[in-house]
Amino acid sequence: IKTGETESGQVLYSTVTDAGRSKARMSAAAVGTSTGTFEYDITLAVAEEMQSELQHRGYTVVLSRTTSNVNLSNAERAQMANEAHADIYIRLEAGKSVDHNTTGMIGFITTSNNPDTASNYRKHFELVYDLLKEATEGTGAKRLGIFETDDMACLNYADMPAAVINMGFLSNPDDDMNLTSADYQKKMAKSLVDGVDFYFQEVEEGE
């Protein structure tokens, strides 16, 4: 849904950025193996950087949370995006792996057979592809690819193109150090916003 146009005719878009796990409803958040930093603090920091960059580029932005202590389920976060009539929904994560050597970024979307989101499958794929491409090129992180699943409530309940981006693995010392660095967080945020820009350019070219 286009949220409006400027006097010059420039289309404005809205995006909901979900900073992922928080204390109240997602207590199993990952913790940095080297720094001890909580995932919910990292995702919020990157989300706020994205908000600033997106607004600078003319987007309307809604954050699912602005503190690390909220009482929202994953489904409720997606419904927040629906109520905001957002054009896209992006959830940020920084997970963990049993293999401490696992490093890089991975994207998640629903499958083409999902009864609730199949009509948006192509847009889901284009969104997550653009986000991963720009973010890995911008940060130097390894691109692990796109994983399709129907087991994530935040994606199942979203009415618009939606993607989950795992920015790295806090179980990996290098990813942990990078993701807790303010400079790297800014680089990650800018690169993800570049991906948002690229996605909407494709949307407009396809209209």
Side-chain angles (χ1 to χ4, degrees), residues 13-17 54 59-63 86-90 196:
Y13 292 98
S14 63
T15 174
V16 168
T17 303
L54 283 163
Y59 292 89
T60 299
V61 184
V62 177
L63 294 184
D87 295 291
I88 60 173
Y89 171 86
I90 302 169
V196 172

Side-chain angles (χ1 to χ4, degrees), residues 64-109:
S64 66
R65 63 183 177 92
T66 56
T67 175
S68 292
N69 190 13
V70 297
N71 192 35
L72 284 174
S73 69
N74 291 331
E76 288 169 338
R77 294 166 194 250
Q79 289 165 348
M80 179 186 296
N82 297 338
E83 292 170 3
H85 301 292
D87 295 291
I88 60 173
Y89 171 86
I90 302 169
R91 176 182 170 89
L92 301 178
E93 293 186 352
K96 57 185 176 182
S97 171
V98 294
D99 182 358
H100 289 194
N101 293 317
T102 301
T103 178
M105 297 183 64
I106 186 170
F108 297 87
I109 56 172

Side-chain angles (χ1 to χ4, degrees), residues 4 14 25 30 36 45 52-53 57 71 74 85 90 92 121 138 142 144 151 172 177 186:
S14 63
R25 296 285 278 273
S52 177
E53 183 68 22
R57 300 188 194 189
N71 192 35
N74 291 331
H85 301 292
I90 302 169
L92 301 178
Y121 173 77
K142 182 179 181 181
L144 298 177
D151 294 330
N172 178 275
M177 294 298 292
K186 290 179 181 180

Side-chain angles (χ1 to χ4, degrees), residues 113-128:
N113 296 319
N114 187 300
D116 298 314
T117 66
S119 61
N120 272 332
Y121 173 77
R122 182 175 179 82
K123 291 182 178 180
H124 293 316
F125 188 90
E126 290 173 349
L127 175 62
V128 75

